Amino acid sequence: MDKKSSTRKGPDFCSLRYGLALIMHFSNFTMITQRVSLSIAIIAMVNSTQQHGLPNASTEGPLADTLNNPSRSMKEFNTGASVYEWSPETQGIIFSSISYGIIVTLIPSGYLAGIFRAKQMLGAGLLISSLLTLFTPLAADFGVILVIVIRTIQGMAQGMAWTGQFTIWAKWAPPLERSKLTSIAGSGAAFGSFIILCVGGLISQALGWPFIFYIFGSIGCVCCLLWFTVIYDDPMHHPCISVREKDYIVASLAQQSSSPRRSVPIKAMVRCLPLWAIFTGFFSHFWLCTIIITYLPTYISSVLHVNIRDSGVLSSLPFIAASSCTILGGQLADFLLSRNLLRLITVRKLFSSLGLLLPSLCAMALPFVASSYVTTIILLILIPGTSNLCDSGFIINTLDVAPRYASFLMGISRGFGLIAGIISSTATGFLISQDSVSGWRNVFFLSAAINMFGMFFYITFGQVEIQDWAKEKTLTRL
């Protein structure tokens, strides 16, 4: 009886699987800071005041004049840092270039991570991304083409790292803890966005915008050492795991064995509407999220008319809300499941609906409250926070419907999301370059419409049952 209870429930927050979630949290933190660093640095890199005025004028004015005239703070604090004349359209291409790289590697890396060691793929992707971050300032001096190339290769490296995570979770996360563990790991992205936007402006003013890339690139290299030292692909081979926790994880995953596979049922996947519901959800979710992550500092700087320091601090606030909502949403979802208060399908559709509907309402309200500083900030905080409720919905739904192919399908899902990110980044740059006021209004209305389509499609076709083509076929050999 004692033995049965020990396998039924393993240790909780002092367990290795939660340690794995924290390390993955730090890895996601590192990758998102390297991705978003350009969003805050570009305010100083592309100084509209300098482009139309004297390039190096007033670089040694008194601090009091800077405080009284915030629009001059970029020039005053960025002595020695280069300034580039990149149009909004060019900036949109630069922002979306990392998504081009990610989408190239998502599907093949998701498949290969299910065959080879996901630990090595994730670690290599993180290391390459960190090194390229360190070289970004040098690339900018050589021209915009090299910056686009560097960001594209960096995206390919991050694509390797993003997808392989679900291969590891398929072997480490018990079904009733999936929302909790993946939300802890995934919240690193929101927390990283908060940190880079909060301190990025301060770093730019104090040291110059290149140090944003130097600092967070170096942090990524340190994270790689931790990753290769502590992480293992599955609990069976980890030297430090307790027998109790290992038995608990193995027993909880007994019905979802993951034998080696040589082929992927592509035709069955293409005909599977529950998968298309997940893909549509990713497309809708990433459309608005990419705009917020990429253009939030620019929006706050242009609409609220604040300097780079305040723009960075204000831009960081939504992501601390997003990080908190991700973790709390995962805790609430698993609580509802463990207490049998709601069925799994109800939880997935509930959190998906809230994560798509609430940010849409906030986005549609933004153009009408632009004159209110406080209301604008509140809505901008609510958009990423409520959007991250999707992390307990369709974001992890592939673990429900096809755990054997979770990493491969996550690659395809993120591919749809990144296609949305590429289109939305480029379209946003084009729209706001025509007319700022009407451009932002069109951006937010279009995002809300896409979110609504994704929500209704997922509610209609989303499922949680393991699909027939994803079930283990080799059980008959036993």
Side-chain angles (χ1 to χ4, degrees):
M1 187 75 176
D2 294 334
K3 179 158 181 159
K4 183 178 180 181
S5 62
S6 67
T7 59
R8 183 178 303 167
K9 182 172 180 171
D12 210 9
F13 286 101
C14 295
S15 62
L16 268 177
R17 61 188 183 276
Y18 280 90
L20 172 64
L22 290 176
I23 295 175
M24 209 169 286
H25 172 98
F26 186 40
S27 300
N28 290 329
F29 166 91
T30 301
M31 286 190 289
I32 201 67
T33 56
Q34 295 170 0
R35 182 177 180 180
V36 180
S37 56
L38 186 63
S39 296
I40 187 67
I42 206 165
I43 298 177
M45 295 171 70
V46 183
N47 188 347
S48 59
T49 303
Q50 285 187 325
Q51 288 176 13
H52 302 289
L54 296 175
N56 296 311
S58 303
T59 57
E60 296 182 0
L63 179 60
D65 185 55
T66 298
L67 296 176
N68 293 329
N69 188 3
S71 64
R72 297 180 57 194
S73 61
M74 270 184 280
K75 292 184 289 183
E76 309 246 354
F77 281 89
N78 283 290
T79 55
S82 301
V83 176
Y84 312 98
E85 297 186 5
W86 295 340
S87 66
E89 294 90 339
T90 300
Q91 295 176 46
I93 295 174
I94 295 173
F95 285 142
S96 61
S97 60
I98 194 169
S99 297
Y100 287 109
I102 294 177
I103 199 171
V104 168
T105 55
L106 274 178
I107 295 178
S109 63
Y111 176 73
L112 294 175
I115 298 177
F116 302 106
R117 298 183 62 187
K119 168 186 174 179
Q120 305 300 329
M121 292 188 60
L122 268 70
L126 180 58
L127 178 60
I128 295 172
S129 176
S130 301
L131 294 176
L132 292 176
T133 300
L134 294 172
F135 284 107
T136 299
L138 180 62
D141 286 334
F142 279 92
V144 66
I145 299 299
L146 187 56
V147 174
I148 294 174
V149 172
I150 289 289
R151 295 280 289 181
T152 301
I153 299 175
Q154 186 179 24
M156 295 172 66
Q158 290 200 4
M160 294 169 53
W162 285 118
T163 20
Q165 293 185 24
F166 276 74
T167 297
I168 294 180
W169 283 130
K171 300 176 181 178
W172 276 92
L176 292 179
E177 296 180 13
R178 282 174 180 166
S179 298
K180 195 182 302 181
L181 290 169
T182 55
S183 64
I184 292 174
S187 64
F191 185 62
S193 299
F194 164 74
I195 293 297
I196 181 62
L197 292 172
C198 185
V199 305
L202 301 177
I203 294 173
S204 180
Q205 285 192 347
L207 303 174
W209 63 261
F211 280 87
I212 299 177
F213 299 96
Y214 297 150
I215 291 174
F216 289 97
S218 301
I219 291 175
C221 294
V222 174
C223 182
C224 288
L225 296 177
L226 182 64
W227 178 270
F228 284 115
T229 303
V230 179
I231 297 297
Y232 282 77
D233 289 289
D234 58 71
M236 298 299 297
H237 297 92
H238 202 293
C240 300
I241 191 171
S242 66
V243 175
R244 181 187 178 195
E245 182 179 8
K246 179 163 54 175
D247 291 343
Y248 169 66
I249 295 175
V250 172
S252 64
L253 298 175
Q255 295 181 345
Q256 297 181 4
S257 57
S258 55
S259 63
R261 60 187 187 276
R262 296 299 180 186
S263 62
V264 176
I266 298 295
K267 291 183 179 180
M269 291 179 176
V270 171
R271 295 192 297 264
C272 184
L273 278 177
L275 280 186
W276 282 105
I278 296 173
F279 300 155
T280 306
F282 266 84
F283 186 93
S284 304
H285 175 70
F286 271 70
W287 182 284
L288 181 56
C289 285
T290 302
I291 293 174
I292 294 298
I293 291 175
T294 305
Y295 281 97
L296 185 57
T298 302
Y299 180 79
I300 290 179
S301 177
S302 61
V303 175
L304 300 182
H305 307 292
V306 297
N307 59 25
I308 185 174
R309 177 193 59 200
D310 295 338
S311 176
V313 173
L314 292 175
S315 299
S316 69
L317 296 179
F319 295 99
I320 193 63
S323 180
S324 302
C325 286
T326 300
I327 297 176
L328 293 176
Q331 298 283 339
L332 177 60
D334 282 343
F335 173 81
L336 295 173
L337 291 173
S338 62
R339 298 298 178 90
N340 293 320
L341 298 177
L342 293 176
R343 295 183 303 150
L344 180 59
I345 183 62
T346 306
V347 169
R348 294 286 182 256
K349 291 187 177 182
L350 172 64
F351 280 83
S352 298
S353 299
L354 292 175
L356 292 173
L357 174 62
L358 296 180
S360 299
L361 296 177
C362 295
M364 291 179 64
L366 273 174
F368 301 101
V369 298
S371 59
S372 175
Y373 185 94
V374 175
T375 306
T376 298
I377 295 299
I378 291 176
L379 291 176
L380 289 174
I381 290 175
L382 289 175
I383 289 176
T386 55
S387 181
N388 275 26
L389 293 174
C390 291
D391 284 14
S392 297
F394 58 79
I395 297 291
I396 61 171
N397 198 191
T398 54
L399 288 171
D400 303 317
V401 299
R404 293 181 64 208
Y405 305 99
S407 185
F408 175 75
L409 292 174
M410 179 52 60
I412 299 178
S413 300
R414 286 193 175 273
F416 275 89
L418 287 164
I419 291 174
I422 291 171
I423 299 174
S424 65
S425 295
T426 307
T428 300
F430 174 77
L431 289 173
I432 64 177
S433 68
Q434 305 301 310
D435 180 76
S436 180
V437 176
S438 63
W440 283 115
R441 182 177 63 248
N442 293 335
V443 165
F444 292 131
F445 280 19
L446 178 61
S447 300
I450 292 174
N451 267 15
M452 291 299 93
F453 174 77
M455 182 187 73
F456 287 117
F457 196 90
Y458 184 79
I459 290 176
T460 304
F461 298 108
Q463 295 182 13
V464 294
E465 295 81 11
I466 297 180
Q467 302 300 295
D468 292 336
W469 47 265
K471 293 180 179 178
E472 180 61 64
K473 303 297 183 182
T474 59
L475 292 177
T476 56
R477 298 180 183 178
L478 298 178

